[in-house]
Amino acid sequence: MDFIRKKICLSVFLFFHVCFITADAALNVSTIPFSDGFSHLFGEGNILHATDDKSLQLHLNQRTGSGFKSSDLYTHGFFSAKIKLPSDYTAGIVVAFYTTNGDLFTKTHDELDFEFLGNIRGKAWRFQTNMYGNGSTSRGREERYYLWFDPSKEFHRYSILWTIKNIIFYIDDVPIREIVRNDAMGGDYPSKPMGLYATIWDASDWATSGGKYKTNYKYAPFIAEFTDLVLNGCAMDPLEQVVNNPSCDEKDDELQKADFSRITPRQRMAMKRFRSKYMYYSYCYDSLRYSVPPPECEIDHVEQQHFKETGRLKFNKHGHHRHAKRTRSQVLDARNHGNQDEE
């Protein structure tokens, strides 16, 4: 009987694990060579290209980090890459994959982020997603999560869908977050053309446990690898700075009809499992920061019971209660510096 029970438990574990990784058929996307759509952003000496022009490495050392960006801006689009993160001791390191127009709209910029936050050896990589619209950095909609795999062992695909109606963040083919536009959001929903960026940099002052653990260059160079890049959107001339372009309507329609714009029931289940198991901070449950949840939040009152008024879980993923209690001013100060980590 014990053998049968163990076999059943193993089967259940494998079923749910596989569901996280293979929520549906793999995303059907077309990749492009680096030189067809991207250029260097900074740290050119720390960017190493593969001979096939399909892959590259971003290095961080004591001199500088590095980054690249798309050559064009896009009015909506699907942006994606397979990424492998640095291994070993990665405290203080941030690898970012994001869209923004901050260079053109310095005070009213839009932004959609994947930010991977390194950690000390033996601790899982953490990451966050965020959304800014019209310069609303004080109203950032960040969520933080653990990954269900080691992102330094092999490549995984990270994708951002941005349409006139919704935003979806994907890992592989699993949607981990969806933001559905509504009128109440106003300018907080990104609406201006954005470019795609990828960077690696030293964020020792906040990235790991609020700056407790710094980047240790004994382990440098820290290497983030990118391959199978995707830029699927209506390209804009950056010099035009056009906010609304009727010529992109056809491309917008194409994006909204694509498979990756629709979350299937199976993907919806996988997303719900991911968020219930691996999300450890949600702005929607942060009542100290938002006494009234932002208009796109769909509050799940059962789920809400698992979060404190700070938006963090009452229990960490190992089931241990977090005893640390902070004042409202401490919480708000931590938010302003990107710190929701207490461990």
Side-chain angles (χ1 to χ4, degrees), residues 94-97 113-117 126-129 201 206:
V94 170
V95 176
F97 184 71
D113 299 316
F114 269 111
E115 286 187 315
F116 303 96
L117 313 175
R126 306 180 186 196
F127 75 102
Q128 68 180 17
T129 61
W201 51 290
W206 67 271

Side-chain angles (χ1 to χ4, degrees), residues 27-155:
L27 296 175
N28 182 22
V29 295
S30 297
T31 63
I32 63 170
F34 180 88
S35 59
D36 283 0
F38 297 91
S39 61
H40 294 166
L41 178 63
F42 72 100
E44 187 167 350
N46 277 1
I47 303 175
L48 278 66
H49 292 266
T51 55
D52 63 4
D53 199 31
K54 295 180 180 178
S55 304
L56 73 158
Q57 295 179 349
L58 296 183
H59 289 221
L60 167 67
N61 55 31
Q62 285 181 297
R63 294 189 305 276
T64 184
S66 52
F68 65 88
K69 64 177 182 177
S70 62
S71 303
D72 293 309
L73 300 182
Y74 295 84
T75 57
H76 309 118
F78 183 80
F79 312 99
S80 183
K82 287 185 177 179
I83 305 172
K84 185 160 65 171
L85 299 177
S87 59
D88 210 343
Y89 183 98
T90 56
I93 297 171
V94 170
V95 176
F97 184 71
Y98 61 105
T99 65
T100 186
N101 48 37
D103 289 344
L104 292 178
F105 304 97
T106 55
K107 295 182 179 180
T108 59
H109 86 283
D110 306 300
E111 191 169 318
L112 299 170
D113 299 316
F114 269 111
E115 286 187 315
F116 303 96
L117 313 175
N119 220 329
I120 59 176
R121 184 189 287 113
K123 294 281 190 176
W125 271 85
R126 306 180 186 196
F127 75 102
Q128 68 180 17
T129 61
N130 207 341
M131 176 189 73
Y132 301 122
N134 204 34
S136 60
T137 54
S138 64
R139 301 191 298 280
R141 270 79 165 177
E142 69 266 29
E143 294 181 344
R144 285 197 173 189
Y145 330 80
Y146 298 98
L147 288 164
W148 67 91
F149 53 82
D150 184 342
S152 69
K153 295 296 185 184
E154 58 186 1
F155 286 95

Side-chain angles (χ1 to χ4, degrees), residues 327-343:
T327 67
R328 179 183 176 88
S329 62
Q330 288 173 318
V331 171
L332 294 178
D333 182 66
R335 295 293 182 271
N336 290 335
H337 290 83
N339 169 32
Q340 290 107 29
D341 290 331
E342 296 175 3
E343 291 184 333

Side-chain angles (χ1 to χ4, degrees), residues 152-290:
S152 69
K153 295 296 185 184
E154 58 186 1
F155 286 95
H156 288 268
R157 180 168 290 286
Y158 303 89
S159 308
I160 301 171
L161 170 72
W162 170 45
T163 76
I164 196 170
K165 294 181 178 179
N166 67 334
I167 294 163
I168 304 175
F169 292 88
Y170 280 96
I171 298 180
D172 295 324
D173 62 342
V174 178
I176 64 164
R177 179 181 183 183
E178 181 182 27
I179 300 165
V180 179
R181 183 177 191 171
N182 61 54
D183 292 340
M185 293 182 70
D188 283 0
Y189 189 89
S191 60
K192 298 182 292 294
M194 292 192 282
L196 177 65
Y197 292 72
T199 57
I200 184 170
W201 51 290
D202 185 335
S204 291
D205 59 337
W206 67 271
T208 308
S209 297
K212 179 180 179 181
Y213 300 101
K214 311 295 185 181
T215 302
N216 187 340
Y217 286 100
K218 168 186 173 182
Y219 300 97
F222 302 99
I223 302 172
E225 301 180 65
F226 296 78
T227 190
D228 293 347
L229 302 166
V230 175
L231 286 173
N232 185 355
C234 183
M236 301 287 299
D237 183 344
L239 298 178
E240 292 182 4
Q241 301 188 26
V242 176
V243 175
N244 295 307
N245 186 351
S247 67
C248 288
D249 291 347
E250 183 177 343
K251 189 62 180 181
D252 285 347
D253 290 341
E254 178 186 319
L255 284 171
Q256 292 175 43
K257 293 175 181 177
D259 290 342
F260 47 68
S261 292
R262 296 187 297 273
I263 300 177
T264 68
R266 190 177 179 187
Q267 286 177 309
R268 186 75 61 184
M269 290 176 61
M271 180 168 65
K272 185 175 182 179
R273 283 194 295 270
F274 168 81
R275 294 174 65 79
S276 65
K277 187 173 179 64
Y278 294 104
M279 183 172 71
Y280 68 89
Y281 171 80
S282 171
Y283 72 99
C284 287
Y285 300 122
D286 191 339
S287 59
L288 293 184
R289 188 180 185 186
Y290 295 116

Side-chain angles (χ1 to χ4, degrees), residues 300-311:
D300 182 327
H301 294 289
V302 174
E303 183 178 76
Q304 187 178 28
Q305 296 176 14
H306 299 290
F307 289 86
K308 298 186 288 186
E309 61 181 359
T310 60

